[in-house]
């Protein structure tokens, strides 16, 4: 299915208080493998655990090379701690309109509970509004992932709808909860 918004190749790095967002590089394959082989990461994000460094290199070349998809780096340590991005395809979210995006993210398991996911999502929401001038952002979680749901809610997204999705990489269907946040101000009527 065609994207609803044509994102250009990003030309900037994004920064927040503790995080740097940069493009994925092929030289990141070893780090990506170390992080993405953990079953809980893929299970929460909807992809199978990486089985080898070659799997991770394939993902960098074919998935993480998309515009607006970033390696999330801890600014203090310089280490990649996850991935986050804005996705523009209607493939899994039939409610998404033109000039909207879906936020995808995951953070390394040892760093869960430190607020990095919330900071990443809030940074992407700000980027979507201020730099890309999108009109809304979506986020999705599996019903069992209460922590990720709270991340979306902290970033101002509210529950919109539930939908069953076939995940071909997982070879199964799962229920997905979709959250939404409008980014444009609703014009007030002049009196």
């Amino acid at each position: 299915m065609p994207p609803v918004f044509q994102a250009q190749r990003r030309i900037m790095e994004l920064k927040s208080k503790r995080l740097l967002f940069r493009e994925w590089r092929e030289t990141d394959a070893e780090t990506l493998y170390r992080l993405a082989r953990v079953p809980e990461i893929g299970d929460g994000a909807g992809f199978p655990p990486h089985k080898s460094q070659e799997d991770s290199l394939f993902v960098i070349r074919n998935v993480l090379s998309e515009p607006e998809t970033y390696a999330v780096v801890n600014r203090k340590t310089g280490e990649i701690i996850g991935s986050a991005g804005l996705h523009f395809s209607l493939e899994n979210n039939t409610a998404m309109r033109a000039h909207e995006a879906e936020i995808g993210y995951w953070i390394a398991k040892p760093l869960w509970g430190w607020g990095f996911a919330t900071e990443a999502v809030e940074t992407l929401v700000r980027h979507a509004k201020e730099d890309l001038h999108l009109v809304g952002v979506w986020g999705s979680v599996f019903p069992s992932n209460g922590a990720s749901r709270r991340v979306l809610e902290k970033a101002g997204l509210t529950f919109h709808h539930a939908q069953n999705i076939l995940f071909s990489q997982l070879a199964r269907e799962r229920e997905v909860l979709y959250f939404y946040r409008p980014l444009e101000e609703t014009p007030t009527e002049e009196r």
Side-chain angles (χ1 to χ4, degrees):
M1 190 167 284
V4 295
F5 177 77
Q6 287 293 334
Q8 301 299 313
R9 174 45 85 196
R10 64 196 165 278
I11 56 172
M12 67 179 91
E13 292 180 329
L14 302 176
K15 291 181 182 176
S16 64
K17 182 178 179 180
R18 299 180 296 166
L19 302 174
L20 169 74
F21 298 71
R22 65 157 173 84
E23 67 181 18
W24 282 94
R25 304 173 186 136
E26 290 187 5
T27 55
D28 297 326
E30 182 179 348
T31 301
L32 179 59
Y33 171 59
R34 183 174 42 80
L35 300 175
R37 70 182 178 193
V38 176
E40 293 88 349
I41 296 295
D43 189 54
F47 62 82
H50 292 201
K51 297 188 184 317
S52 68
Q53 191 171 320
E54 291 74 27
D55 278 356
S56 295
L57 181 58
F58 177 86
V59 169
I60 288 170
R61 288 177 177 162
N62 296 287
V63 178
L64 300 177
S65 63
E66 290 293 316
E68 298 301 330
T69 302
Y70 301 94
V72 178
V73 177
N74 181 327
R75 290 178 67 180
K76 185 175 183 178
T77 65
E79 296 177 3
I80 295 172
I81 62 168
S83 185
L86 296 166
H87 309 286
F88 300 92
S89 173
L90 287 173
E91 184 176 333
N92 288 333
N93 183 351
T94 57
M96 199 160 78
R97 305 174 294 152
H99 300 285
E100 293 182 336
E102 186 170 343
I103 296 173
Y105 60 93
W106 58 265
I107 297 295
K109 188 176 178 187
L111 299 174
W112 289 0
W114 289 74
F116 288 114
T118 300
E119 188 172 332
V121 170
E122 288 172 344
T123 301
L124 288 175
V125 168
R126 186 180 67 248
H127 174 58
K129 180 177 182 171
E130 295 174 5
D131 303 323
L132 301 177
H133 309 289
L134 299 181
V135 298
V137 290
W138 293 86
S140 61
V141 299
F142 297 121
S144 61
N145 194 342
S148 193
R149 178 182 184 141
R150 285 187 297 280
V151 165
L152 294 175
E153 291 171 341
K154 286 178 187 176
L157 285 82
T158 57
F159 178 75
H160 188 274
H161 71 281
Q163 188 173 327
N164 286 328
I165 303 291
L166 175 62
F167 287 83
S168 56
Q169 288 185 328
L170 299 175
R172 65 182 165 135
E173 188 173 277
R174 292 180 74 176
E175 182 181 26
V176 177
L177 306 178
Y178 285 94
F179 291 74
Y180 181 72
R181 177 178 168 181
L183 298 179
E184 61 184 6
E185 298 293 323
T186 305
T188 55
E189 293 182 8
E190 291 186 22
R191 295 179 187 211

